[in-house]
Every structure is written in C-alpha cells, then in structure tokens.
Amino acid sequence: MAVDPKLADFFYNSDSLFFSVIYQELFLKPGANFLNSLNGFGWTPALYFFPDLVQYFALRTILLSMENGGWELTHLSYSAFQWILLLFGIIFLLQILTKEKISYEKLSLVLSFGFLIGIILILSKQDLFVFLPGFHGGNLAVLCWAWGFFYQWEGSNSKKSFILVAVAVFLFSLSDLLFIPYFLIPSLGLHVLDWLLRERSVHKIQKIAYIYFPVFLGIVTSRIVFQILRKNHFVFFPGTATPQKIGEAISSWKWESFFHSFSYLFKENWIYLILIILFFSVLKFLPKKEEGVSNKPVYLFLILGIVVPFVFLVYGFIFGLTGRLGIQGIDRYFGEILLGFLGIGTICILRVSDISIAKFVLGVLFFLGVLFGIYSSYSKGLGLIHHPTKVACLDELADKQHWKRGIASFWYVRPMRIFSKKGLEPDDYLYDLMLFYWQNNLNWFERENPPYTFAIIDGVDEKIVRQKLGEPISISYCDKIPIYTFANSDKSFEFVKENRGKIDIWKFSTSRY
C-alpha cells in the first residue's frame, strides 16, 4: 500500500480518516477526556456506528501498542476484516436459504473467488470504498447477515430470531440509511411478486405483514433514536440530504441529465452488470442438484445488482438529489451492484462446482489468480508506513518555520493530523473561509492558542486568507502549492473571534444552545 502513492492517497483520504481523528482526539491527545473531547464534534450525514465505528475502534485499540504504523495497520486490518465479513455474510445467507451446509471444498473455492476479486479491486484501484470505514462499505458487509437473520426468523418464528432481526435492522438502519432500500427492495419485492403470481389472498398479506413486523419495528425505532440524536447539544449529527418537493424538482428536470446519469452508471459498472446477467443465464440453464432447491438467493442478488441501482437513480432524479447535471460520481452510493455480482457469482460457482472437472479447473484458476496477485503486490515492494509527499514537505517546512496550527481545505486536514510527524494541526475551512462543520470539532475553530501560523493555498481563497491573517512573512511551496507563513497573533485572535460569532449564530439558528 505505502509503495503505491496513488493507491495510498485514496486509501488514507480525509473521508476514511474520520474515525482515526475521533479516536486520536478521544484517547491519544494529551489530557484527552472522552466526554470533553467528543463535545462539539460534527458527524458525517450517515452515522456509521455499526459496523464501521465499532470495528475500527476495536482494531485500533488492539494495535495501540504499535509506536509506528499503528494507523496504517488499523486501516489494512479493517479492510481485510470487512471484506471477510462480506464474503462470510454471503455464505451464511446461502446456507440459511438452501438449508444445507457448504462443504469445505466448495467453501475454499468460494473464498478463493472472493479473495481474488478483492485483490483485483485493490490492484486496479477500483471500488476501494468497500474496504474503508465511513464509505457505506460496512453497509454491504452486513446486508447478507441481516437477510440471513430475517430468513431464519421467517422459517422458525422464534422469539430469539425476532429479537435478532429487530436489533440487527435497528443497528444497521441507524448507522446507514442506505441499508433500508438495500434490504427491503429485494426481499419485500420477492414476497410481493410471490403474492401476485402464486397466492393473492388476504391471508398471504397478513403473513407478509407478520414476517416484516420486526423489520419495520427496527426501522421505526432507528428513526426515532436518530431524531433524538439530532436534537442533542453535545455532538452535531447533520442528517441526510433532504429531497426537494416534487413540484420544485419537476420544474428543473432535464432528461439529458437523467440519460447522462444512466449512461455514466452503466459505463462505471458495465463489467459487473454484464457478469450478473451472464451468471443468471448460466444458472437458469444449469440442472439443479435437487428438485425444490430455492432460487430465492439468485433473485435477491439479481434485484440488488440490477433493480436497486436503477430505483436509486430514478428516486434521486425525481426528488432532485442527483443535481442539475446528473450524478458525477458513482462508486460508494451504488456499491450494491458489486455485492449483487459477488452474490450471484458465488451461487454460480457453487452450482458449477457440482461438476468435478469444473470444480478442479475453477480451483486451479482461482489459486493461480491469488498467487499472481500476491506476486504482483510483492514485486512492487513492501511498505507499511505512510508519509505522503505533501505531508513530508509540510513537516520539513514546519521544522524551519515553527508551524503548529494552520488553515487548510478538507482534503489536507485529516491526513495531516494523522500522519504528520511534527504534530501539525490544520483546521478545515471552505473556500471562503467559512467553517466546515462536518467531521470537525467546533472547539478547534474557537481556540486562541496556538495561533494560526500557516495557510495552504489550495481550496481556500488567497485574498480572504490575506484579509483575515495579514500579509505572509514568507511563501513556501509543496508540490507547487503555495504555503503562506504568518506571524501576526493579533490577526489570528481577531479571526478566531469571528469564528466564535459564526458558531454562535449557527448554534442559535439550529437551536443548539
């Protein structure tokens, strides 16, 4: 990871380091106090409590004794754990639905396929969000587990299963709102189709309502708890994007934007989409080992990979969430396509592996693929410590200029706070030097000491920086980016006073006093 700067820069980007900064503030800073350090934090729109936060904090605590490379190894172990959790979730779901245990031979084949896909994604730098905290990847990792618990409840109707489903849905939907459509559209869609095609009766509707009661109990409870959390004055939870009123959205509709978004979605995911259809076709022609074997998992993953992203796209377009120009970025919000491919691919491999020669050939291919991936990684060199070029340059300048605290834009702040060897603490500002509330602590903007002594002029307005902090006493450069040095503590204090005023107004407008 560390020997590939482009890969490392994405892997350790500002979004993925949110929990790293929280952990640093809560437990590693001198005089850190859990409650005081957490007070004033602005969270991300999705809460990411479970599995992201729990998983990350647990791994970081386990690796706390490492003086060097602790952050990097936490990220790497998190990625491995999350990918394994996702793969075993698929296996768990299939065992629940097929009501048979997967043999160790087939299990090793499926895991080899999963590890090979993981290696390909990392080496090709594709869909890396699925490995990282705070990128909706945890949502994909737990979805099949939630489905498995749900179908256990449908088959047993036991109190234990009821509680397990309600708690799982509560935790996952509270942590990430995307979990709800991911879970409901495929599962509820299949139940509704079954009602339409097989047994259109009131009794069937009552049965479906009964089966989904713990699911909706978990969802409703999670929304209540979320609203309570949003009203607290301790930590700021901003909530998710609010859909426009449909009338307002309709007035700004542009069909070319929708078709652009649709073509962009296909262009970014065409390999997955074609493979999903190909695997589905193979499964339709392959003979079943036993009559009566459920096709439910096949259709679950087909709907997840094909229908759900289209529904998301249409929903975003109808309610004005895709922007006037359509979606410009795909990956993390359409990760269900990747999971759909992995799920239906796993089913296809399990079915094909009933043919001895096919099982042997697939085993050899997957084994050689994993070996080649390991060799490719090893040939590039091995490295754990991540010290980005820009951060290394800033550390060097900090030694000469005696910097401690500065102004920077979003993409600089968290990598510097985590990977700076000189303890640099930049604060996160928008282009016009308005405060950026998300993923920051308001207390950082209000403190007088240490004063602002540098500003990275990339993503912030140079004129406003000069206006707020005065003329720089020197200008340095890192990767051709100008870095201003200041020595006017009075100007810094005035700027902090402005910040306090802005924060007071914001607190008043959001009823946070």
Side-chain angles (χ1 to χ4, degrees):
M1 188 68 66
V3 297
D4 187 337
K6 187 177 179 182
L7 179 61
D9 283 346
F10 185 90
F11 216 73
Y12 302 114
N13 71 59
S14 277
D15 277 327
S16 76
L17 292 172
F18 174 53
F19 292 132
S20 307
V21 169
I22 290 180
Y23 193 95
Q24 183 185 61
E25 290 291 317
L26 295 184
F27 305 113
L28 302 181
K29 285 288 182 71
N33 175 285
F34 183 85
L35 292 179
N36 288 338
S37 300
L38 197 59
N39 185 27
F41 252 109
W43 216 259
T44 55
L47 302 185
Y48 297 125
F49 287 162
F50 194 87
D52 302 55
L53 183 143
V54 172
Q55 187 174 301
Y56 189 89
F57 273 33
L59 291 170
R60 186 67 187 97
T61 302
I62 292 169
L63 298 169
L64 203 55
S65 60
M66 289 189 65
E67 292 186 9
N68 295 311
W71 295 115
E72 293 90 338
L73 195 55
T74 301
H75 249 60
L76 293 172
S77 57
Y78 180 99
S79 303
F81 187 86
Q82 181 146 290
W83 189 249
I84 291 169
L85 184 67
L86 184 153
L87 296 178
F88 274 97
I90 294 172
I91 293 164
F92 171 69
L93 173 63
L94 295 181
Q95 290 189 144
I96 294 295
L97 289 175
T98 59
K99 295 181 173 60
E100 63 178 36
K101 188 175 181 181
I102 297 173
S103 69
Y104 289 117
E105 282 186 348
K106 289 185 176 182
L107 182 63
S108 61
L109 196 63
V110 166
L111 291 177
S112 298
F113 165 71
F115 292 143
L116 177 59
I117 297 300
I119 290 171
I120 291 171
L121 292 178
I122 289 174
L123 291 180
S124 61
K125 305 176 183 66
Q126 294 295 314
D127 296 329
L128 296 178
F129 66 91
V130 74
F131 301 100
L132 300 173
F135 268 89
H136 302 292
N139 200 25
L140 302 178
V142 299
L143 179 61
C144 289
W145 291 97
W147 271 339
F149 298 148
F150 171 71
Y151 287 113
Q152 266 187 334
W153 151 249
E154 184 181 18
S156 68
N157 286 333
S158 68
K159 290 181 181 179
K160 180 182 175 182
S161 296
F162 179 94
I163 294 169
L164 194 57
V165 171
V167 171
V169 171
F170 165 74
L171 285 175
F172 302 153
S173 57
L174 176 66
S175 300
D176 191 343
L177 200 59
L178 289 181
F179 170 82
I180 297 174
Y182 282 6
F183 182 94
L184 282 180
I185 293 174
S187 60
L188 188 56
L190 285 182
H191 278 106
V192 171
L193 279 174
D194 184 64
W195 175 78
L196 286 171
L197 300 177
R198 291 190 181 183
E199 185 187 341
R200 278 183 281 182
S201 65
V202 175
H203 173 72
K204 184 69 174 180
I205 294 175
Q206 290 173 336
K207 188 177 179 181
I208 292 172
Y210 175 76
I211 291 168
Y212 279 90
F213 180 69
V215 174
F216 289 109
L217 178 64
I219 291 172
V220 170
T221 307
S222 74
R223 293 301 90 199
I224 293 170
V225 171
F226 182 71
Q227 293 304 321
I228 292 171
L229 287 173
R230 285 199 67 190
K231 291 177 182 178
N232 88 91
H233 294 181
F234 195 66
V235 177
F236 171 54
F237 296 105
T240 53
T242 304
Q244 292 182 18
K245 292 180 179 178
I246 193 164
E248 296 174 3
I250 289 174
S251 64
S252 61
W253 278 1
K254 291 183 179 179
W255 285 105
E256 59 268 27
S257 298
F258 175 77
F259 290 121
H260 163 77
S261 299
F262 184 79
S263 63
Y264 189 77
L265 178 70
F266 182 79
K267 186 177 76 171
E268 291 291 302
N269 295 279
W270 68 271
I271 295 178
Y272 297 142
L273 294 170
I274 289 173
L275 286 174
I276 288 171
I277 295 169
L278 178 63
F279 286 146
F280 178 75
S281 303
V282 170
L283 287 167
K284 294 301 287 183
F285 284 103
L286 279 176
K288 292 182 182 180
K289 187 178 178 181
E290 296 178 8
E291 286 299 322
V293 173
S294 174
N295 277 323
K296 192 174 290 182
V298 178
Y299 289 107
L300 272 177
F301 288 117
L302 181 70
I303 294 171
L304 181 68
I306 302 290
V307 178
V308 173
F310 184 75
V311 171
F312 267 32
L313 192 60
V314 171
Y315 174 83
F317 182 69
I318 289 174
F319 291 99
L321 297 176
T322 59
R324 291 186 178 181
L325 299 177
I327 51 175
Q328 305 299 313
I330 293 287
D331 53 19
R332 70 177 86 175
Y333 303 109
F334 292 88
E336 68 274 18
I337 301 174
L338 170 60
L339 182 56
F341 154 70
L342 286 169
I344 205 166
T346 298
I347 298 168
C348 191
I349 289 166
L350 288 172
R351 190 80 64 80
V352 169
S353 64
D354 289 331
I355 306 168
S356 299
I357 186 65
K359 180 167 64 176
F360 174 77
V361 171
L362 287 175
V364 171
L365 288 175
F366 294 157
F367 179 71
L368 291 177
V370 171
L371 281 183
F372 180 75
I374 294 171
Y375 172 76
S376 298
S377 301
Y378 184 78
S379 63
K380 293 179 181 179
L382 299 175
L384 176 64
I385 306 301
H386 177 59
H387 197 209
T389 305
K390 286 181 181 178
V391 176
C393 176
L394 290 162
D395 278 347
E396 187 178 337
L397 291 171
D399 249 353
K400 297 175 183 176
Q401 306 286 358
H402 306 292
W403 294 341
K404 179 63 178 176
R405 183 185 179 206
I407 287 173
S409 58
F410 178 82
W411 297 109
Y412 283 89
V413 173
R414 270 153 287 285
M416 288 176 66
R417 282 179 172 265
I418 295 299
F419 297 116
S420 171
K421 307 296 183 186
K422 304 300 176 184
L424 289 174
E425 294 183 349
D427 291 338
D428 190 354
Y429 286 88
L430 299 173
Y431 182 76
D432 58 359
L433 293 198
M434 288 298 290
L435 314 182
F436 190 58
Y437 300 106
W438 291 3
Q439 303 187 36
N440 291 298
N441 194 314
L442 295 178
N443 298 318
W444 296 344
F445 300 108
E446 295 184 285
R447 55 184 178 148
E448 297 176 15
N449 291 303
Y452 287 111
T453 51
F454 71 92
I456 302 172
I457 310 301
D458 184 17
V460 295
D461 191 310
E462 176 188 4
K463 293 180 181 178
I464 299 178
V465 170
R466 289 175 182 267
Q467 177 188 335
K468 300 297 184 183
L469 297 181
E471 290 299 314
I473 59 172
S474 67
I475 301 177
S476 309
Y477 292 88
C478 287
D479 280 357
K480 300 181 181 180
I481 302 296
I483 320 292
Y484 290 1
T485 300
F486 301 96
N488 192 331
S489 57
D490 291 337
K491 277 280 191 180
S492 176
F493 178 66
E494 289 176 14
F495 184 50
V496 168
K497 283 179 67 177
E498 282 186 33
N499 286 345
R500 289 173 182 164
K502 293 173 184 175
I503 290 170
D504 286 342
I505 292 171
W506 175 78
K507 284 182 176 179
F508 180 78
S509 66
T510 56
S511 303
R512 304 191 66 80
Y513 272 115

